[in-house]
């Protein structure tokens, strides 16, 4: 019987272990969050405090949040966030909106779907959604890799 | 030392790790996660269609005007399935209705439970069990002002290893008194499946 070289065995074992690790590893789900908190001004208008949180540098290198806007249609908040692709290739990701009332309590939690979206090279895209009811005063857009 | 004597248990161990690490398990998933196992109608599609239609109806200017001071009564008719797939259209219709109802801007009539309702009213009136002062009488329900209808269509194209499936949901809101369509919108979804060159 021909003896298989030791190096080959080690290589094969390492390869198997690597395949096992790669096959069973949980996918990358960290992403970005952008949103705004709407408050009333003394003049009777509304103003928005905007924020962006980045938890995934790789995603943030390919995608930039450039604007957040809001309007009210019949007391119901209509939120819109503009993103721009920073590369020349198609970028696939998913997003979802979450809604909070004036006390910071989440409204209709987990009722909104993760929505897949494609942004073409250097394209800007507006992601919009309408709040579930008139109590919403804060929105958060969550973005993560598909 | 014999090389084979060391390598065999090592390989067996790696195989065991592979087998135990990836064995079939059941766990709870995120019901709102993107699901794209195949090109057929999926839970993600259902949620996307419902969210899109509800957003559109709630922000359409004439509807905004109409719902400013009152909550119109709507009857929802089950969306028609014109695709080649068997889809529970009532589930999609229910999701749209629930979202609209929870917006607090509309009220709804549900005709699917009318048989049970008639039975109950009849019992209240005829059985002698119910105090006549609190019994519900026939002819007091509120009639629907609007009818919400929908069509769900599919166009499929297939060439070689590529299959392109296009879905379109159209919904209309009809004013029952005047017969005028007060609102209408469409939501499209395209799914493309590429089969790998080597497939088993």
């Amino acid at each position: 019987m021909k003896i298989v070289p030791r190096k080959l065995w080690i290589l094969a074992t390492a390869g198997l272990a690597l395949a096992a690790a790669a096959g069973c590893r949980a996918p990358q789900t960290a992403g970005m969050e952008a949103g705004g908190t709407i408050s009333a001004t003394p003049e009777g208008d509304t103003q928005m405090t905007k924020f962006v949180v980045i938890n995934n540098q790789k995603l943030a290198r390919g995608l930039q949040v450039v604007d957040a806007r809001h309007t009210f249609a019949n007391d119901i908040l209509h939120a819109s966030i503009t993103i721009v692709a920073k590369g020349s290739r198609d970028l696939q990701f998913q997003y979802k909106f979450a809604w909070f009332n004036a006390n910071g309590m989440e409204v209709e939690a987990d009722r909104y779907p993760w929505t897949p979206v494609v942004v073409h090279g250097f394209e800007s895209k507006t992601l919009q959604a309408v709040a579930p009811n008139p109590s919403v005063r804060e929105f958060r857009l969550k973005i993560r890799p598909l | 030392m014999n090389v084979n004597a060391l390598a065999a248990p090592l390989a067996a161990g790696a195989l065991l790790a592979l087998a135990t690490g990836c064995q079939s398990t059941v766990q709870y998933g995120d019901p709102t996660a993107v699901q794209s196992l195949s090109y057929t109608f999926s839970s993600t599609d259902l949620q996307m269609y419902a969210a899109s239609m509800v957003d559109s109806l709630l922000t359409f200017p004439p509807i905004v005007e109409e719902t400013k001071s009152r909550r119109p009564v709507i009857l929802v008719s089950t969306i028609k399935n014109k695709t080649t797939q068997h889809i529970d259209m009532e589930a999609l219709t229910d999701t749209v209705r629930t979202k609209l109802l929870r917006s607090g801007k509309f009220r709804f009539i549900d005709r699917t439970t009318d048989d049970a309702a008639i039975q109950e009213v009849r019992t209240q009136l005829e059985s002698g069990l119910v105090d006549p002062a609190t019994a519900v009488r026939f002819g007091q329900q509120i009639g629907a002002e609007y009818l919400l209808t929908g069509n769900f269509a599919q166009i499929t194209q297939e060439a070689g290893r590529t299959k392109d499936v296009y879905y379109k949901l159209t919904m209309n809101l009809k004013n029952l008194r005047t017969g005028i369509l007060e609102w209408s919108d469409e939501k499209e979804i395209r799914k493309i499946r590429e089969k790998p060159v080597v497939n088993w």
Side-chain angles (χ1 to χ4, degrees):
Chain A
M1 195 180 119
K2 191 184 169 191
I3 291 175
V4 181
R6 186 181 182 151
K7 270 185 185 168
L8 200 68
W9 271 111
I10 292 169
L11 216 67
T13 314
L16 259 173
L18 199 71
C24 302
R25 200 179 54 182
Q28 169 72 271
T29 51
M32 294 156 69
E33 279 192 24
T37 308
I38 288 97
S39 53
T41 60
E43 293 82 43
D45 290 335
T46 56
Q47 63 179 16
M48 182 164 69
T49 317
K50 303 169 189 177
F51 61 86
V52 177
V53 180
I54 293 169
N55 297 317
N56 183 335
Q57 291 298 335
K58 193 181 162 204
L59 186 68
R61 275 197 293 274
L63 204 65
Q64 190 179 2
V65 177
V66 290
D67 198 11
R69 287 173 187 274
H70 80 282
T71 175
F72 281 93
N74 205 356
D75 303 334
I76 294 184
L77 177 67
H78 190 168
S80 131
I81 286 193
T82 309
I83 48 160
V84 177
K86 286 154 79 177
S88 57
R89 293 171 193 276
D90 276 8
L91 196 65
Q92 291 203 353
F93 62 92
Q94 51 187 329
Y95 73 92
K96 138 175 178 169
F97 277 89
W99 310 96
F100 301 83
N101 67 14
N103 298 323
M105 300 288 285
E106 187 161 5
V107 178
E108 305 278 310
D110 269 338
R111 300 281 184 89
Y112 283 76
W114 283 101
T115 307
V117 65
V118 179
V119 187
H120 303 302
F122 294 112
E123 187 193 17
S124 70
K125 203 155 203 159
T126 307
L127 308 173
Q128 294 191 21
V130 178
N133 65 47
S135 70
V136 173
R137 286 293 175 276
E138 182 182 328
F139 66 94
R140 275 183 216 167
L141 172 75
K142 303 174 180 187
I143 299 175
R144 63 176 178 145
L146 194 60
Chain B
M1 192 182 165
N2 189 347
V3 177
N4 274 336
L6 182 74
L10 212 66
L15 267 174
L16 198 70
L18 183 80
T20 52
C22 297
Q23 73 183 3
S24 162
T25 56
V26 176
Q27 47 188 275
Y28 287 97
D30 176 2
T32 62
V34 172
Q35 193 265 76
S36 55
L37 293 174
S38 86
Y39 60 85
T40 53
F41 188 74
S42 70
S43 59
T44 305
D45 297 347
L46 185 148
Q47 291 165 341
M48 276 162 59
Y49 283 122
S52 157
M53 285 298 154
V54 171
D55 283 6
S56 164
L57 184 56
L58 288 177
T59 51
F60 189 56
I63 300 293
V64 168
E65 202 58 41
E66 183 70 24
T67 55
K68 228 166 209 163
S69 54
R70 62 190 205 93
R71 299 168 65 200
V73 182
I74 299 181
L75 174 66
V76 184
S77 126
T78 304
I79 296 162
K80 285 188 189 132
N81 180 6
K82 294 185 173 171
T83 69
T84 54
Q85 300 170 44
H86 176 77
I87 301 168
D88 182 1
M89 296 315 285
E90 214 166 330
L92 176 58
T93 312
D94 283 351
T95 307
V96 171
R97 188 181 62 189
T98 307
K99 277 182 182 287
L100 283 174
L101 188 64
R102 293 190 65 81
S103 74
K105 296 293 175 191
F106 299 97
R107 290 178 294 170
F108 286 86
I109 284 176
D110 178 15
R111 287 269 172 251
T112 61
T113 50
D114 273 3
D115 285 347
I118 290 169
Q119 178 94 36
E120 173 56 23
V121 175
R122 195 161 280 155
T123 307
Q124 290 193 13
L125 294 175
E126 295 170 2
S127 68
L129 290 168
V130 180
D131 177 1
T134 61
V136 177
R137 284 167 186 77
F138 281 108
Q140 291 184 321
Q141 289 194 357
I142 295 171
E145 305 166 67
Y146 295 98
L147 181 66
L148 189 64
T149 58
N151 278 316
F152 189 50
Q154 169 188 358
I155 298 171
T156 308
Q157 284 199 310
E158 200 164 3
R161 291 183 287 110
T162 307
K163 184 163 189 162
D164 182 307
V165 187
Y166 166 88
Y167 294 104
K168 187 179 79 167
L169 174 69
T170 310
M171 288 195 81
N172 305 306
L173 187 72
K174 184 178 185 169
N175 187 324
L176 284 169
R177 190 174 301 122
T178 60
I180 286 172
L181 285 186
E182 301 277 4
W183 165 86
S184 185
D185 203 1
E186 293 186 333
K187 166 77 180 166
E188 300 158 305
I189 289 180
R190 164 161 264 136
K191 287 183 169 181
I192 301 159
R193 185 191 68 184
E194 296 270 2
K195 268 192 190 161
V197 182
V198 182
N199 198 11
W200 60 78

